[in-house]
Structure formats: C-alpha cells, structure tokens
Amino acid sequence: MKELFGLMKFGTKSALWAAIINTIVAILKTAAYLITGNVAMFAEMMHSFGDAANQFFVFIGSALSKKEPTERFPGGFGRLVNLVLLGAVLIVGVLAYETIVEGIHHISNATHSEDWFWLNMGVLGASALLEMAVLYKAMKEITEHLPKEQTKGFKLIPESYKNVKDAKPASKLVFLEDNVAVGGALLAMLAIVVATYTPFHSATGYASIVIGIALVFVVGRIFMDNAAGALGVADVKMQARMGARILQHPHINDIQNLDVIKEGESLHVELKVEVDPHMTIKEADEIRNYIDKKIKEAVENVTDVIIEFDDDDDVDTWSQILNNNPK
C-alpha cells in the first residue's frame, strides 16, 4: 500500500485535476437538477460524474505505469496506462450513447419553458469556466517539451493542437474530453437561449446529439491510439531524431537497425550499430555509454536501451531505413 501511494505522485496531473473539477461540476449540476427537475441537466450531471470517474481511473493508471519491473513482469508496467485508457473509453462510449438518446428524446418531447433559466445558465457557465481551467492544464502538459517563448500567452492554444498527437496518453484523453466538455457547455447554453426565446424548443435536443457525436469521435481517437500503444507502436519520428544524434560519433559507421517502441508514456529502445571490427572492448564500451547518453538527451522517458554491435558492411543501411519509413 505504501508503494501504491508513493506512485501517485507520478500520475498525470491534468487527469487528477480533471477528476476533481468534474466532481465539483457534477455536484453543481446535481443541485441544479434537484431544484429544477430539468432532464437535460440530469443528463449533464451523469455526464460529469462519468467523466470524473473516468479521469480518476486514468490518473491511477498513469501512476501505476511508473512501477519498476518485477520478476513476474520484467518488461515493466509502461503499457498499463494504455489498458486503463481502453477501459476508460468504454465509459465515454456509454456517455456518448446516453447523450444521443437523451437528445432524441428531447426532440420528440420538446416543450417551452422559461423556468429556472438563469440557474441553468449559471451552472453551465460556471462548468464551462472550470472545464477551461482543466483544459489549460492539459495544454501545458502537451506543450511542456517546447521552448517557453513558443507557448507564451495565446500561442499555447495553437501549439497544443499541433502537438496533441504526440502527447502522453492520459494528457491526450483529458485534452480531448475537455474540448468536448467546454464546447458542449457553451453549445448547451446557446441551445437553452434558443429553446427559451424562439419557437425552436427542440434546440437542446439537437445540441445533446451534437455533443454525443463529439464524444463518439473522442472514443474512436482514444481507442485507436491506445490499442496501438498496448500492442507496442513504433515512434518513427523519434527513431530519426535518435539516429541523427547517434551517428554524430566518429566511430559509428552506420545504424543497421533502430526500434523505438512506445510503452504507455515510456519508450523502449533497441538498436544495432556498425563499427570497426578491430575495435577494443574498452572502445566499444565507451561508444555504448555515448549512445545511452545521446538517447537520454533526446528524450527523458526512456526506460531501457539495448545496444548490439556489428562489423561495418559498407552498405548505408540507415539511409535506406529513413527513406522507407512513412512520414
């Protein structure tokens, strides 16, 4: 148990903040539902409670993935976060289904009402602001590897969208979910205004369906990314980046093979380099230390590096690998 609590400090902070904020938002929506009896607010309440539970499990999974390898699991626990996120998308999938069904129900049973208008607007407005705070935290995590001047001020927003595909799995989930949450809250507010002050009383139903479809997109994106992560997906961009650094050594003639495999938030590296066959063991050991240092300079979250040596075959293998890799 002590080890479990010790690992919690390594969990993804945006997921923890998202879980806390969504719990607060869910409580606000629960109070609003109990006062107004608004079915749409009930759906939003369930949505927020589901998000809170989902993101709490994501935080736990990202923390446990940092556990050191054991005799029973010598490969470590890096891919555990991918497995947790695959489970998390099931929750989001159920929420998406319920949201769409609730929207269809509202369209077929739309009625005009101005009761508790400002309470509903106030709760949704407060929810949007709180979700924006979580979204900002996720944006900071996604862009933490970039120079500060590149993410200063409003530059953070476009840079986070540009780099989201390379983000940690947990940060990506929070980022995508909170985009839907913020957009959904704003859309719901607009729909309430339209339904209250125009003849288009079914606007909230259509808004609910749009939010549900957006959640389906999140489910699909997260499922595909984490299914690949659970299987072990190659990071082609990182391979090229590491290869360029390794070949800076004057006694490394070529790279015969270089695999960079994503394991959750960590990377596993295996490579075979070509050197002079008459090289001494001491010289080879110095090269091994050089490679290990260069790789860890290129990226922080490398769990292990396996290096093999082979004699130079006078064939430029690394250039061929780069040309054959998809961009």
Side-chain angles (χ1 to χ4, degrees), residues 19 100 130 152 192 197 210 229 260 284 311 322:
I100 293 171
L130 290 170
K152 189 176 180 180
I192 289 174
Y197 295 109
V210 171
V260 181
D311 59 326
L322 290 178

Side-chain angles (χ1 to χ4, degrees), residues 214-274:
L215 284 171
V216 170
F217 167 77
V218 172
V219 168
R221 177 71 180 271
I222 297 298
F223 176 82
M224 294 302 295
D225 287 350
N226 287 281
L231 292 172
V233 61
D235 190 332
V236 177
K237 288 184 179 179
M238 189 58 69
Q239 287 174 355
R241 184 177 169 186
M242 288 184 180
R245 284 175 172 261
I246 291 167
L247 285 174
Q248 290 174 3
H249 195 286
H251 297 302
I252 297 177
N253 301 329
D254 195 12
I255 299 174
Q256 196 174 112
N257 186 53
L258 173 57
D259 292 320
V260 181
I261 307 299
K262 285 185 177 180
E263 297 183 337
E265 298 177 3
S266 303
L267 297 174
H268 168 79
V269 183
E270 294 186 23
L271 71 154
K272 181 182 286 188
V273 296
E274 295 182 5

Side-chain angles (χ1 to χ4, degrees), residues 31-318:
Y33 167 68
L34 292 174
I35 293 170
T36 67
N38 189 296
V39 178
M41 188 61 73
F42 174 78
E44 280 292 304
M45 174 192 75
M46 296 301 291
H47 184 179
S48 294
F49 273 125
D51 276 355
N54 183 23
Q55 288 156 346
F56 178 73
F57 283 120
V58 168
F59 169 72
I60 297 296
S62 65
L64 293 180
S65 68
K66 306 299 192 303
K67 181 177 170 63
E68 293 294 326
T70 63
E71 286 188 19
R72 187 177 180 187
F73 300 102
F77 298 83
R79 299 183 191 184
L80 181 61
V81 67
N82 296 116
L83 296 175
V84 170
L85 286 169
L86 285 174
V89 297
L90 296 177
I91 298 175
V92 182
V94 172
L95 292 173
Y97 171 77
E98 292 294 338
T99 304
I100 293 171
V101 169
E102 191 63 35
I104 295 171
H105 174 75
H106 276 298
I107 291 171
S108 60
N109 297 278
T111 57
H112 178 261
S113 175
E114 295 186 19
D115 295 339
W116 305 107
F117 172 80
W118 289 112
L119 177 60
N120 288 327
M121 292 292 285
V123 169
L124 289 171
S127 300
L129 290 174
L130 290 170
E131 296 286 6
M132 284 179 187
V134 177
L135 182 58
Y136 173 77
K137 178 68 175 175
M139 287 179 173
K140 293 289 287 184
E141 286 187 356
I142 289 170
T143 58
E144 62 185 0
H145 65 285
L146 299 175
K148 288 186 178 180
E149 59 273 11
Q150 196 172 333
T151 59
K152 189 176 180 180
F154 289 106
K155 293 179 183 178
L156 175 69
I157 298 173
E159 289 299 328
S160 63
Y161 283 93
K162 287 179 185 176
N163 292 274
V164 65
K165 61 182 178 181
D166 298 319
K168 296 175 182 178
S171 298
K172 186 186 293 186
L173 175 68
V174 173
F175 178 81
L176 293 175
E177 280 192 344
D178 276 278
N179 266 282
V180 175
V182 172
L186 297 176
L187 180 61
M189 292 173 71
L190 176 62
I192 289 174
V193 172
V194 172
T196 303
Y197 295 109
T198 74
F200 188 39
H201 305 317
S202 59
T204 52
Y206 286 102
S208 184
I209 291 174
V210 171
I211 294 169
I213 293 172
L215 284 171
V216 170
F217 167 77
V218 172
V219 168
R221 177 71 180 271
I222 297 298
F223 176 82
M224 294 302 295
D225 287 350
N226 287 281
L231 292 172
V233 61
D235 190 332
V236 177
K237 288 184 179 179
M238 189 58 69
Q239 287 174 355
R241 184 177 169 186
M242 288 184 180
R245 284 175 172 261
I246 291 167
L247 285 174
Q248 290 174 3
H249 195 286
H251 297 302
I252 297 177
N253 301 329
D254 195 12
I255 299 174
Q256 196 174 112
N257 186 53
L258 173 57
D259 292 320
V260 181
I261 307 299
K262 285 185 177 180
E263 297 183 337
E265 298 177 3
S266 303
L267 297 174
H268 168 79
V269 183
E270 294 186 23
L271 71 154
K272 181 182 286 188
V273 296
E274 295 182 5
V275 296
D276 186 339
H278 303 294
M279 181 175 291
T280 64
I281 293 176
K282 182 180 179 181
E283 289 172 328
D285 191 52
E286 289 174 353
I287 291 177
R288 184 185 302 276
N289 293 335
Y290 170 86
I291 292 173
D292 187 72
K293 179 182 177 182
K294 284 294 181 182
I295 287 176
K296 290 177 180 176
E297 283 178 357
V299 62
E300 294 180 358
N301 54 328
V302 175
T303 53
D304 61 323
V305 181
I306 299 175
I307 305 169
E308 296 181 46
F309 292 97
D310 200 359
D311 59 326
D312 190 359
D313 58 6
D314 295 322
V315 177
D316 191 359
T317 307
W318 182 240

